[in-house]
Structure formats: C-alpha cells, structure tokens
Amino acid sequence: MKTIWEKYDTKKRNKVMAFSQEYKSFLDHAKTEREAVDETIRLARKEGFKEFKEIKKVKAGDKIYFNNRGKSIALFLIGKDPLEDGMNILGAHIDSPRIDLKQNPLYEDNGLVLMDTHYYGGIKKYQWVALPLAIHGVVCKKDGKVIKVAIGEDEKDPVVEISDLLIHLSRDQMQKTGSKVVEGEDLNALVGSIPAKEEKDEKDGLVKKNILKILKEDYDIEEEDFISAELELVPAGKARDLGLDRSLIMAYGHDDRICAYTSLMAILESREPERTSACILTDKEEIGSVGATGAQSAFFENCVAELLAKTDSLSELKLRHCLERSCMLSSDVSAGFDPNYPSVNEPKNTAYLGKGISFNKFTGSGGKGGSSDATPEYIAKIRKILDQNKIVYQFSELGRVDQGGGGTIAYILANKNMDVIDAGIAVQNMHAPYEVASKGDIYEAYQAYKIFLKEMA
Ligand code: MN
Ligand code: MN
C-alpha cells in the first residue's frame, strides 16, 4: 500500500504542511486538559459558537458549546433534521499522561527543595527523568480566585526536573526491571536551592522558606493553597518538526489532542449539515474515563437533554431516540508500526505512519476483552463515504494478539446503543514525554472527520 506522500501533489503537500503548523500551535497552547478547553473555546467563538446559556431557543444552524468545569467540552452544530433523528458525533480526549503534584508537595532535603508528585496515566516512569519540565495548572484560593499557572514555556522561564541516578553508581539500579528502575515515590522534582536570610534561632527549612516567598510574591500562592490546586508537570517547550523532510511532528500530548484538534477543526468548518454535528472532548480517558469530566459522566447526555428542551418539548423517549440513532467516531491514537520493535505487531493488521487515518473495528486485549466492537454494517457505510471522497485510511489492531492492548471511550457511548467505531491517528512512543505522528495522517483524519459530519446518515 502506498503512503499518503506518494498520492499528494505539491499543492496538497503545502496544505498538509500549513495545517500541521496550526496543529503545533494548538499543542503549544494546550498542554493540559484545561488549556485545551480554553483554546477550544477561543477557536470556537471565533467561528461564531456561543455558550448554551447565551441561547434562548435552539434552531438549525446554531453553534453551541457546553463547558464542563473547564476540563471537558461538548460542541454542537444544529442540523436541519430533528435532533430526535440522531447526531454525527466526533469524540476524543484532551487529558494526557503526565506528572501531577501531590496536595502536600513541598519539602527540603539537604539544602535542596523538591516537590513530591503522583503520576497520571500509564507511563514508563524512567522516561520522565532528566528532562526539562514545565508546571501548568490552577491554584484555587479560598476567596474563589483561580490563579492560572504556566511556568517553563517561555525561554526566559525556569524549568523543574526529576533527577536520574548517574550511570557511575547505577550497578544495582541497572539490574532492576523496567517498572522498578524509577519508582513512583521517587519522582520528586527539584525546584530550588537558595536559602532565605537566616533569622534568630532559624536554621532549618530556609531554602523552602525562600521558595515559599517566591511563590507568594510572584504568584500569590501560599503553601496551604497546594491543597486546592491542580498542577501538572509536562515536558517544557514547543512541538517540533521531525525528520529532515519535516514529514512528522514530535510533541508532548499527541495522545489525544491530535484527534481532539482535528475533530474540533472538522466541526468548526462544518456548514449547514442535515444531521446535527457534535464534538465531545473529554477528560480522564487515561485513567478510565471516570468522574464528572470523564466520558462516563452524565455530562454529554445532559447537554443533549438541554438542547432538546430548547428545541421543542423534551421527553425521555426523544433523548433516547437521539442517542441510539446517532453515529460516532471515537477518535484516539493508535500504535504506529515501529521498525525498531517490529515483533509486537502483526504486519497485516498494523497501523503505519503515513498511510492515513486508522480505524480499529475493536480494541480491548486478550480475547477482545473490554472492547466495543463496531458492526460490519456500520463499517460498510463508513467505507462508502471515505472511498467516495478519496480519503486514505487503514484498518488495524493495537499490536499482536496476546501482546497487550488498550481501550478508548468508544464503549461508553456505544452503551447508549449508538453505532461507534474507533478511528484515529498512528503514533510512535505513545505515552512517552514526546510522541511522534505523521503530518499526512493528521490531515487525512481531519478530512475524514469533515466527511463523516457531512455525509454520515
Ligand atoms: Mn488516548
Ligand atoms: Mn493514552
């Protein structure tokens, strides 16, 4: 099978490169789920989207979004058909693996001040040491004030770091298995080493005292405020072109802002659809889609109920009809074939970088455990519209049978009795501080999402 690059002419290549510039900029501004929601709202409002509470009556052509706690968001473009007839839904997640600060993080040890952390999502912990890390998130004060924090992205900003043991003294460490080489409780970030001026009877904790002074003066943060904070350590710096031919992007957080951004662009560019278009960008996928802002929350269903209530008369049955008559692409990254590790894949059913948007009929592990399995009838409809529009796509599985596996939010929406299939973009080094994806695949996914919103019936 040919790659996308062999099929693109110069004009199309230029389009692909231009689109990837915009995507890199989104990544640089959206390094946490909260920042992704902020950036989504900024881009959506530019296209005329309004928050639901600004809308009096819902009618065809309306562009509406619901913001859930600043951590997940649902966008709708109301179609000409009744909402009860179902929607075309794009779903992706905007949380990524990272290192969270604990609620009581700060301590001093032999003249150094560190912050204790608790990692989030499935990471190889040894990959997250000896790297420049930025601090992103919010600190919520008792008076209701929310302080937004982003330290480490500007070139003049300081960064923080989790140390690794020098190779010279690693004889014992190097004997350990991968999951034990660096252990969770040892992920402590170095944040300072200058002591505050010594006062009478004061000898201990002066470096920590100095860091607290800086936090107070520069950010109005006191030590107790960490209790009501959500601070995330993420790799510092911008998304970069990868490869001498610039065909790939290396960046933090492709999983799954790559599908979030392409889905968002698809709905923002959607025009007067027959069926209502929806785009859900959820939080907490990396830890099981749990909680109020995860895909399992009642949030999305509530949004649809609110829309129905402002369209005509809401009834429980109409809500259920709308959900079960909807079609969805649950978009998430897939495991891209890696020539350095070919043995984990089965070559006929593997996603390859540069071979287009990647569909998984099912995910799960072992005997398809935990999977949502799309019906062949649904897949046939999708194939038809993709082929009609010359979209480049591939069908794959996440690795060899019995090698491992994974899941997405597909099953959660499928539980509402709608047709859902996993779609997405192949990446290398998934969940590493920097992941790799093909610019061509990003563009094909974006095209596929636009066609799905417009033509799926
Ligand atoms: Mn994902
Ligand atoms: Mn993931």
Side-chain angles (χ1 to χ4, degrees), residues 199-229:
E199 278 168 33
K200 210 171 42 176
D201 301 331
E202 223 179 343
K203 288 247 180 328
D204 299 324
L206 288 170
V207 185
K208 179 174 160 183
K209 190 178 169 190
N210 189 46
I211 290 294
L212 286 171
K213 189 165 156 270
I214 292 168
L215 284 171
K216 178 67 188 162
E217 282 172 5
D218 293 359
Y219 306 98
D220 190 27
I221 298 170
E222 320 229 17
E223 187 167 17
E224 300 75 41
D225 294 334
F226 281 110
I227 294 170
S228 50

Side-chain angles (χ1 to χ4, degrees), residues 320-364:
R320 285 169 191 267
H321 281 163
C322 176
L323 292 170
E324 75 178 6
R325 292 170 184 169
S326 290
C327 298
M328 182 182 186
L329 295 183
S330 167
S331 293
D332 206 341
V333 294
S334 191
F337 173 79
D338 184 341
N340 286 334
Y341 302 95
S343 67
V344 299
N345 295 111
E346 185 272 287
K348 300 186 300 307
N349 292 281
T350 294
Y352 294 90
L353 267 61
K355 292 194 175 176
I357 177 172
S358 177
F359 288 86
N360 299 158
K361 184 176 182 298
F362 51 85
T363 56

Side-chain angles (χ1 to χ4, degrees), residues 292-304:
T293 56
Q296 298 191 51
S297 150
F299 169 62
F300 181 65
E301 217 169 315
N302 290 352
C303 294
V304 180

Side-chain angles (χ1 to χ4, degrees), residues 427-445:
V427 303
Q428 282 186 356
N429 336 326
M430 199 190 295
H431 289 199
Y434 298 96
E435 301 168 320
V436 172
S438 161
K439 291 180 179 180
D441 295 338
I442 298 169
Y443 193 77
E444 287 302 312

Side-chain angles (χ1 to χ4, degrees), residues 282-301:
T282 76
D283 180 29
K284 295 285 180 279
E285 192 277 343
E286 296 296 354
I287 58 167
S289 298
V290 289
T293 56
Q296 298 191 51
S297 150
F299 169 62
F300 181 65
E301 217 169 315

